Amino acid sequence: MAHIAAVIMAAGLGKRMRSKKAKVMHPVAGRPMIWYMINVMGQLVDSKVVLVLGHGAEQVHAYVDKQQDLRASIDVVQQPTQLGTGDAVKQAQAVLMPDDEPLATSCLIVNGDTPLLTASTLQCLLMHHQAEQAMVTMLTTNFPDPHGYGRVVRSVAHDVIKIVEDRDATPEELAIHEVNVGTYVVDSQFLFNALNQIEPRNAQGEYYLTDIVSIAVQEEVRVSAVKTQDATECWGINTREHLALAEQAMRGRIRTHWLREGVTMLDPATTMIDDGVQLGQDTVLHPHVTLEGQTTIGEDCVIRAHTRITDSQIGNCVVVEDCCVMEKAVLEDGASVGPFARLRAGTVLQQKAKVGNFVEVKNTVLGEGSKAGHLSYLGDGIIGKHVNVGAGTITCNYDGFRKSQTVIEDGVFIGSGSQLIAPVTIGQGAVVAAGSTITDDVPSDAVSLSRVEQENRKQAAARRRDAQTKASDK
Ligand code: UD1
Ligand code: CA
């Protein structure tokens, strides 16, 4: 028999969030809370992880289905009406007690809204449970302001007697600072027996999971508690204020990790790094840099201020100047970008390629050592090596109906202010003269120019000025 199964309670609406979205789908450092809960369980459980869903179940289920990186094998069960945490855990009975026999000896139970909990704390709880041979082991902590949490009531001998919810507590109980974190290890057989005895006799008319503690005390079986010093880990997210605090705490944790790994941050407090982002040694992050999603950044890079990078892969020795926005882009070693550049999905800058200020790139490969320095739009392009794209070059990739491709072969020189009307190919080594509108393919090594012939009308400007002056004298 496996030792540990898990239940994650995530069926609640989270009324206090005042949101249309299920509470556990609210992100902390770039990932929904539920991701952290499942991830941490996956590290500890050798049996099933049961996810109890209700409000927003479809949304949560769809998200969880897409996460291949969550190691645990997850069973989703529904709680049809949110009758309380005791009722929530009961929904896992069919999965965890098939044929009335427990699938695993113990069951690790967590609220879905405690994303800061770490695997090491849970490991400690599990070890304590085993060492004490307890039926119920709960995680507690001291909060300076325990408001809203269940209080841990202890006997004179300091044994846990019960958990009392804020709304049901006496003034004496409200003065207790030790709170229930909502994280428990419970003997599976005892758990489902106890759950069948719980009654909704409390201020909220709910089935409280916390009542298993007083049931254990009544049945004179061992109840044990681990009090953790790190109170931050124990925060339950009920409101947007809590969410904002958790966001800060998680961001801080991530920054500390990367600082220890050898990343420099000039102003850590303004540096936002999502969970899941990877960074290489000796990379320097300037103030107000935001790194999101599945982003990887190599070694010895410099990312300057006010740049946002999302789901992008960046090699070594890449320089991103100030105020760039980048999404789903790939930057090979030695590439440089910005300031004020926008790289959209499908941008690939090969080694040492350079994109300068006010350039937008989408679905385009810019070959090794090629440059687009100023004020350009490059969309749906394949650009070879050592190409010079002059200032203000536009690939006209959209005719109002469909997108077409622009191919620019190795060594091409595109003069400034040119428009390349796609589909079009500029052959290797060719030159497009500045200000040209290119509608047809250009053969290799040709010079292509398409400008209206210049006409200089002698003294015409002076005559125009004189005419204007006379008119305004009247
Ligand atoms: C709960 C505890 C409280 C503890 C606190 C820690 C109970 C009765 N109270 O209170 O002692 O101090 O957590 O954060 O357990 N849920 C369901 N179905 C339901 C009700 C809730 O799945 O019918 C889920 C919620 O989605 C949430 C979790 O259970 O993830 C906790 O519910 P919540 O309403 O936040 O409980 P608290 O009032 O915070
Ligand atoms: Ca809560």
Side-chain angles (χ1 to χ4, degrees):
M1 184 164 68
H3 298 295
I4 304 146
V7 179
I8 304 172
M9 295 177 273
L13 169 66
K15 242 183 270 160
R16 292 164 282 181
M17 293 293 283
R18 294 180 177 268
S19 175
K20 295 179 283 300
K21 197 150 69 173
K23 177 159 79 172
V24 295
M25 287 304 291
H26 282 268
V28 173
R31 300 195 196 265
M33 283 191 239
I34 195 68
W35 186 92
Y36 295 95
M37 304 315 301
I38 299 172
N39 180 53
V40 86
M41 290 302 149
Q43 296 171 44
L44 299 161
V45 164
D46 58 0
S47 176
K48 289 191 170 174
V49 174
V50 182
L51 183 58
V52 185
L53 298 182
H55 280 286
E58 273 174 33
Q59 195 189 11
V60 184
H61 202 160
Y63 169 77
V64 169
D65 271 349
K66 273 194 284 172
Q67 306 309 305
Q68 289 137 1
D69 53 343
L70 296 175
R71 276 170 278 171
S73 74
I74 301 163
D75 274 52
V76 173
V77 299
Q78 300 280 339
Q79 185 189 21
T81 341
Q82 279 62 64
L83 302 175
T85 47
D87 181 68
V89 175
K90 216 168 169 179
Q91 310 307 314
Q93 185 161 358
V95 178
L96 297 182
M97 293 285 278
D99 311 318
D100 263 6
E101 285 297 316
L103 205 64
T105 331
S106 313
C107 190
L108 177 61
I109 304 170
V110 291
N111 285 350
D113 62 358
T114 45
L116 294 159
L117 268 184
T118 62
S120 63
T121 297
L122 294 178
Q123 187 68 56
C124 184
L125 195 70
L126 287 165
M127 278 159 58
H128 194 85
H129 181 77
Q130 265 172 11
E132 295 272 309
Q133 299 192 315
M135 280 292 165
V136 182
T137 305
M138 54 183 291
L139 186 64
T140 78
T141 195
N142 271 7
F143 278 144
D145 174 14
H147 174 81
Y149 287 85
R151 310 296 206 282
V152 180
V153 181
R154 292 182 184 257
S155 67
V156 186
H158 215 63
D159 292 326
V160 175
I161 319 175
K162 63 172 179 176
I163 300 167
V164 56
E165 291 306 296
D166 204 78
R167 296 223 242 159
D168 305 303
T170 62
E172 293 76 40
E173 288 165 342
L174 284 176
I176 299 171
H177 284 262
E178 188 183 6
V179 302
N180 168 34
V181 175
T183 301
Y184 326 78
V185 184
V186 190
D187 176 89
S188 300
Q189 193 84 56
F190 169 80
L191 172 68
F192 292 105
N193 282 338
L195 286 177
N196 287 319
Q197 300 173 44
I198 290 176
E199 287 183 45
R201 272 190 302 228
N202 49 59
Q204 305 189 76
E206 288 188 354
Y207 292 85
Y208 286 168
L209 173 63
T210 46
D211 286 352
I212 62 170
V213 172
S214 46
I215 293 171
V217 171
Q218 267 163 36
E219 292 184 4
E220 298 183 344
V221 296
R222 179 118 183 82
V223 176
S224 167
V226 173
K227 193 196 262 188
T228 169
Q229 295 305 312
D230 182 357
T232 308
E233 264 195 53
C234 303
W235 290 348
I237 310 308
N238 298 324
T239 65
R240 303 272 183 164
E241 278 168 278
H242 296 156
L243 184 67
L245 290 170
E247 177 79 14
Q248 290 210 323
M250 188 71 86
R251 298 264 179 215
R253 217 186 248 180
I254 295 167
R255 285 192 291 259
T256 303
H257 168 80
W258 289 116
L259 289 166
R260 287 177 184 167
E261 290 291 310
V263 172
T264 293
M265 294 173 208
L266 300 190
D267 185 15
T270 66
T271 309
M272 303 297 219
I273 307 169
D274 276 5
D275 188 80
V277 168
Q278 298 296 320
L279 289 156
Q281 226 176 27
D282 291 314
T283 280
V284 179
L285 305 178
H286 284 247
H288 295 282
V289 163
T290 302
L291 306 176
E292 297 179 328
Q294 301 301 302
T295 290
T296 307
I297 297 182
E299 299 186 356
D300 302 301
C301 294
V302 179
I303 316 291
R304 288 193 175 268
H306 297 284
T307 283
R308 175 158 61 91
I309 301 175
T310 309
D311 296 328
S312 295
Q313 270 55 60
I314 295 182
N316 300 325
C317 304
V318 169
V319 175
V320 181
E321 297 288 354
D322 308 64
C323 302
C324 293
V325 176
M326 206 181 286
E327 192 177 350
K328 297 193 175 114
V330 175
L331 275 56
E332 294 183 3
D333 296 353
S336 76
V337 180
F340 301 102
R342 178 171 182 212
L343 306 185
R344 293 164 55 198
T347 296
V348 178
L349 304 190
Q350 291 181 335
Q351 290 191 22
K352 296 191 175 164
K354 187 175 182 312
V355 165
N357 34 212
F358 307 108
V359 174
E360 176 182 346
V361 186
K362 186 214 77 174
N363 191 28
T364 291
V365 180
L366 189 62
E368 191 183 320
S370 291
K371 293 174 184 165
H374 328 266
L375 296 157
S376 282
Y377 172 62
L378 303 175
D380 303 309
I382 298 179
I383 301 173
K385 294 179 193 168
H386 306 292
V387 168
N388 195 315
V389 179
T393 297
I394 306 291
T395 55
C396 307
N397 62 329
Y398 186 49
D399 61 6
F401 300 99
R402 64 192 79 78
K403 303 275 169 74
S404 303
Q405 196 174 54
T406 301
V407 178
I408 304 175
E409 293 180 356
D410 295 351
V412 164
F413 181 93
I414 311 278
S416 298
S418 297
Q419 301 105 52
L420 310 174
I421 316 282
V424 70
T425 297
I426 318 293
Q428 192 172 339
V431 170
V432 170
S436 295
T437 302
I438 303 297
T439 51
D440 295 323
D441 290 355
V442 176
S444 295
D445 294 323
V447 170
S448 179
L449 67 164
S450 75
R451 301 175 188 148
V452 178
E453 206 173 316
Q454 185 169 324
E455 179 193 351
N456 290 340
R457 297 181 186 166
K458 289 196 175 143
Q459 289 302 312
R463 285 197 297 276
R464 186 169 160 274
R465 232 170 14 241
D466 289 349
Q468 281 295 329
T469 318
K470 275 179 198 154
S472 59
D473 282 352
K474 273 184 192 164

